[in-house]
mmCIF file of all heavy atoms in Angstrom:
data_model
loop_
_atom_site.group_PDB
_atom_site.id
_atom_site.type_symbol
_atom_site.label_atom_id
_atom_site.label_comp_id
_atom_site.label_asym_id
_atom_site.label_seq_id
_atom_site.Cartn_x
_atom_site.Cartn_y
_atom_site.Cartn_z
ATOM 1 N N SER A 1 86.177 118.543 124.009
ATOM 2 C CA SER A 1 85.793 117.536 123.015
ATOM 3 C C SER A 1 85.853 116.148 123.633
ATOM 4 O O SER A 1 86.453 115.944 124.679
ATOM 5 C CB SER A 1 86.700 117.616 121.782
ATOM 6 O OG SER A 1 88.035 117.334 122.131
ATOM 7 N N ILE A 2 85.213 115.206 122.957
ATOM 8 C CA ILE A 2 85.219 113.797 123.385
ATOM 9 C C ILE A 2 85.916 113.001 122.290
ATOM 10 O O ILE A 2 85.273 112.526 121.355
ATOM 11 C CB ILE A 2 83.786 113.275 123.622
ATOM 12 C CG1 ILE A 2 83.039 114.134 124.649
ATOM 13 C CG2 ILE A 2 83.826 111.809 124.098
ATOM 14 C CD1 ILE A 2 81.574 113.761 124.836
ATOM 15 N N PRO A 3 87.262 112.843 122.386
ATOM 16 C CA PRO A 3 87.988 112.129 121.336
ATOM 17 C C PRO A 3 87.750 110.616 121.339
ATOM 18 O O PRO A 3 87.895 109.957 120.315
ATOM 19 C CB PRO A 3 89.452 112.448 121.625
ATOM 20 C CG PRO A 3 89.495 112.746 123.083
ATOM 21 C CD PRO A 3 88.159 113.358 123.413
ATOM 22 N N GLU A 4 87.413 110.069 122.503
ATOM 23 C CA GLU A 4 87.091 108.644 122.661
ATOM 24 C C GLU A 4 85.943 108.561 123.644
ATOM 25 O O GLU A 4 85.710 109.483 124.425
ATOM 26 C CB GLU A 4 88.294 107.872 123.198
ATOM 27 C CG GLU A 4 89.490 107.859 122.266
ATOM 28 C CD GLU A 4 90.694 107.151 122.869
ATOM 29 O OE1 GLU A 4 90.519 106.196 123.642
ATOM 30 O OE2 GLU A 4 91.826 107.577 122.571
ATOM 31 N N ASP A 5 85.229 107.430 123.651
ATOM 32 C CA ASP A 5 84.050 107.283 124.509
ATOM 33 C C ASP A 5 84.297 107.620 125.972
ATOM 34 O O ASP A 5 83.438 108.164 126.641
ATOM 35 C CB ASP A 5 83.492 105.862 124.420
ATOM 36 C CG ASP A 5 82.784 105.595 123.104
ATOM 37 O OD1 ASP A 5 82.456 106.570 122.394
ATOM 38 O OD2 ASP A 5 82.559 104.420 122.800
ATOM 39 N N ASN A 6 85.477 107.269 126.483
ATOM 40 C CA ASN A 6 85.735 107.459 127.911
ATOM 41 C C ASN A 6 86.765 108.555 128.184
ATOM 42 O O ASN A 6 87.347 108.609 129.257
ATOM 43 C CB ASN A 6 86.181 106.151 128.556
ATOM 44 C CG ASN A 6 87.546 105.701 128.077
ATOM 45 O OD1 ASN A 6 87.941 105.965 126.947
ATOM 46 N ND2 ASN A 6 88.270 105.020 128.942
ATOM 47 N N LYS A 7 86.999 109.434 127.200
ATOM 48 C CA LYS A 7 87.968 110.516 127.390
ATOM 49 C C LYS A 7 87.347 111.857 127.028
ATOM 50 O O LYS A 7 86.583 111.958 126.063
ATOM 51 C CB LYS A 7 89.213 110.310 126.533
ATOM 52 C CG LYS A 7 90.105 109.212 127.038
ATOM 53 C CD LYS A 7 91.395 109.163 126.238
ATOM 54 C CE LYS A 7 92.312 108.073 126.786
ATOM 55 N NZ LYS A 7 93.571 108.018 126.048
ATOM 56 N N LEU A 8 87.704 112.858 127.800
ATOM 57 C CA LEU A 8 87.300 114.228 127.532
ATOM 58 C C LEU A 8 88.568 115.045 127.382
ATOM 59 O O LEU A 8 89.465 114.953 128.214
ATOM 60 C CB LEU A 8 86.465 114.754 128.705
ATOM 61 C CG LEU A 8 85.750 116.076 128.482
ATOM 62 C CD1 LEU A 8 84.615 115.882 127.480
ATOM 63 C CD2 LEU A 8 85.183 116.592 129.796
ATOM 64 N N LYS A 9 88.650 115.819 126.317
ATOM 65 C CA LYS A 9 89.831 116.650 126.094
ATOM 66 C C LYS A 9 89.461 118.107 126.331
ATOM 67 O O LYS A 9 88.476 118.603 125.792
ATOM 68 C CB LYS A 9 90.379 116.474 124.685
ATOM 69 C CG LYS A 9 91.663 117.267 124.466
ATOM 70 C CD LYS A 9 92.278 116.974 123.119
ATOM 71 C CE LYS A 9 93.583 117.728 122.989
ATOM 72 N NZ LYS A 9 94.273 117.428 121.745
ATOM 73 N N LEU A 10 90.262 118.776 127.154
ATOM 74 C CA LEU A 10 90.118 120.195 127.421
ATOM 75 C C LEU A 10 91.361 120.872 126.879
ATOM 76 O O LEU A 10 92.473 120.401 127.123
ATOM 77 C CB LEU A 10 90.012 120.448 128.928
ATOM 78 C CG LEU A 10 89.009 119.593 129.705
ATOM 79 C CD1 LEU A 10 89.114 119.883 131.189
ATOM 80 C CD2 LEU A 10 87.611 119.836 129.201
ATOM 81 N N SER A 11 91.188 121.956 126.138
ATOM 82 C CA SER A 11 92.355 122.664 125.620
ATOM 83 C C SER A 11 92.076 124.155 125.558
ATOM 84 O O SER A 11 90.950 124.583 125.354
ATOM 85 C CB SER A 11 92.752 122.127 124.242
ATOM 86 O OG SER A 11 91.693 122.278 123.330
ATOM 87 N N GLY A 12 93.142 124.912 125.759
ATOM 88 C CA GLY A 12 92.991 126.349 125.769
ATOM 89 C C GLY A 12 94.264 127.058 125.373
ATOM 90 O O GLY A 12 95.265 126.439 125.042
ATOM 91 N N SER A 13 94.200 128.363 125.433
ATOM 92 C CA SER A 13 95.359 129.185 125.085
ATOM 93 C C SER A 13 95.509 130.288 126.120
ATOM 94 O O SER A 13 95.005 130.183 127.233
ATOM 95 C CB SER A 13 95.189 129.744 123.679
ATOM 96 O OG SER A 13 94.030 130.547 123.622
ATOM 97 N N TYR A 14 96.127 131.355 125.734
ATOM 98 C CA TYR A 14 96.469 132.446 126.644
ATOM 99 C C TYR A 14 95.271 132.962 127.452
ATOM 100 O O TYR A 14 95.399 133.256 128.625
ATOM 101 C CB TYR A 14 97.099 133.594 125.854
ATOM 102 C CG TYR A 14 97.491 134.760 126.711
ATOM 103 C CD1 TYR A 14 98.613 134.705 127.524
ATOM 104 C CD2 TYR A 14 96.714 135.913 126.732
ATOM 105 C CE1 TYR A 14 98.973 135.759 128.326
ATOM 106 C CE2 TYR A 14 97.067 136.987 127.520
ATOM 107 C CZ TYR A 14 98.195 136.908 128.322
ATOM 108 O OH TYR A 14 98.537 137.955 129.112
ATOM 109 N N GLY A 15 94.105 133.068 126.833
ATOM 110 C CA GLY A 15 92.930 133.614 127.511
ATOM 111 C C GLY A 15 92.508 132.836 128.741
ATOM 112 O O GLY A 15 92.038 133.408 129.721
ATOM 113 N N VAL A 16 92.632 131.532 128.702
ATOM 114 C CA VAL A 16 92.319 130.672 129.846
ATOM 115 C C VAL A 16 93.557 129.823 130.082
ATOM 116 O O VAL A 16 93.720 128.763 129.512
ATOM 117 C CB VAL A 16 91.090 129.778 129.575
ATOM 118 C CG1 VAL A 16 90.861 128.830 130.736
ATOM 119 C CG2 VAL A 16 89.852 130.626 129.340
ATOM 120 N N SER A 17 94.448 130.338 130.911
ATOM 121 C CA SER A 17 95.692 129.625 131.183
ATOM 122 C C SER A 17 96.042 129.771 132.657
ATOM 123 O O SER A 17 95.332 130.413 133.422
ATOM 124 C CB SER A 17 96.820 130.158 130.292
ATOM 125 O OG SER A 17 97.039 131.531 130.543
ATOM 126 N N GLY A 18 97.145 129.157 133.044
ATOM 127 C CA GLY A 18 97.618 129.254 134.425
ATOM 128 C C GLY A 18 96.590 128.816 135.440
ATOM 129 O O GLY A 18 95.982 127.752 135.314
ATOM 130 N N ASN A 19 96.352 129.673 136.417
ATOM 131 C CA ASN A 19 95.443 129.349 137.521
ATOM 132 C C ASN A 19 94.011 129.148 137.044
ATOM 133 O O ASN A 19 93.304 128.275 137.540
ATOM 134 C CB ASN A 19 95.515 130.456 138.585
ATOM 135 C CG ASN A 19 94.750 130.093 139.823
ATOM 136 O OD1 ASN A 19 93.588 130.470 139.955
ATOM 137 N ND2 ASN A 19 95.384 129.350 140.710
ATOM 138 N N ILE A 20 93.598 129.923 136.055
ATOM 139 C CA ILE A 20 92.234 129.758 135.528
ATOM 140 C C ILE A 20 92.097 128.389 134.872
ATOM 141 O O ILE A 20 91.093 127.704 135.054
ATOM 142 C CB ILE A 20 91.879 130.881 134.528
ATOM 143 C CG1 ILE A 20 91.895 132.241 135.233
ATOM 144 C CG2 ILE A 20 90.517 130.629 133.887
ATOM 145 C CD1 ILE A 20 91.770 133.423 134.297
ATOM 146 N N ALA A 21 93.100 127.969 134.115
ATOM 147 C CA ALA A 21 93.065 126.650 133.476
ATOM 148 C C ALA A 21 93.010 125.542 134.520
ATOM 149 O O ALA A 21 92.257 124.579 134.374
ATOM 150 C CB ALA A 21 94.280 126.467 132.568
ATOM 151 N N GLU A 22 93.780 125.674 135.583
ATOM 152 C CA GLU A 22 93.770 124.665 136.650
ATOM 153 C C GLU A 22 92.391 124.577 137.286
ATOM 154 O O GLU A 22 91.880 123.485 137.537
ATOM 155 C CB GLU A 22 94.822 124.997 137.700
ATOM 156 C CG GLU A 22 96.246 124.790 137.216
ATOM 157 C CD GLU A 22 97.288 125.230 138.233
ATOM 158 O OE1 GLU A 22 96.921 125.606 139.372
ATOM 159 O OE2 GLU A 22 98.473 125.212 137.881
ATOM 160 N N ARG A 23 91.763 125.724 137.548
ATOM 161 C CA ARG A 23 90.426 125.731 138.154
ATOM 162 C C ARG A 23 89.376 125.183 137.173
ATOM 163 O O ARG A 23 88.434 124.508 137.583
ATOM 164 C CB ARG A 23 90.055 127.129 138.634
ATOM 165 C CG ARG A 23 90.897 127.573 139.829
ATOM 166 C CD ARG A 23 90.370 128.795 140.563
ATOM 167 N NE ARG A 23 89.765 129.826 139.740
ATOM 168 C CZ ARG A 23 90.394 130.873 139.230
ATOM 169 N NH1 ARG A 23 91.687 131.039 139.433
ATOM 170 N NH2 ARG A 23 89.738 131.770 138.512
ATOM 171 N N PHE A 24 89.555 125.473 135.883
ATOM 172 C CA PHE A 24 88.651 124.948 134.856
ATOM 173 C C PHE A 24 88.690 123.418 134.851
ATOM 174 O O PHE A 24 87.643 122.760 134.880
ATOM 175 C CB PHE A 24 89.046 125.506 133.485
ATOM 176 C CG PHE A 24 88.128 125.098 132.360
ATOM 177 C CD1 PHE A 24 86.979 125.816 132.088
ATOM 178 C CD2 PHE A 24 88.427 123.998 131.567
ATOM 179 C CE1 PHE A 24 86.132 125.444 131.047
ATOM 180 C CE2 PHE A 24 87.598 123.623 130.531
ATOM 181 C CZ PHE A 24 86.445 124.346 130.268
ATOM 182 N N VAL A 25 89.896 122.859 134.816
ATOM 183 C CA VAL A 25 90.057 121.399 134.830
ATOM 184 C C VAL A 25 89.468 120.812 136.108
ATOM 185 O O VAL A 25 88.757 119.802 136.071
ATOM 186 C CB VAL A 25 91.542 121.003 134.669
ATOM 187 C CG1 VAL A 25 91.746 119.511 134.887
ATOM 188 C CG2 VAL A 25 92.068 121.429 133.306
#
């Protein structure tokens, strides 16, 4: 999501976590 013009928020749970979350970011 884009909570502010210059910010992007990424959020997840168990399905995309740990190493996968790090690679996603």
Side-chain angles (χ1 to χ4, degrees):
S1 63
I2 303 174
E4 296 177 33
D5 287 344
N6 68 329
K7 287 186 178 181
L8 191 70
K9 184 174 183 177
L10 311 175
S11 59
S13 61
Y14 180 75
V16 176
S17 61
N19 188 265
I20 297 171
E22 289 175 6
R23 291 194 323 268
F24 184 86
V25 172

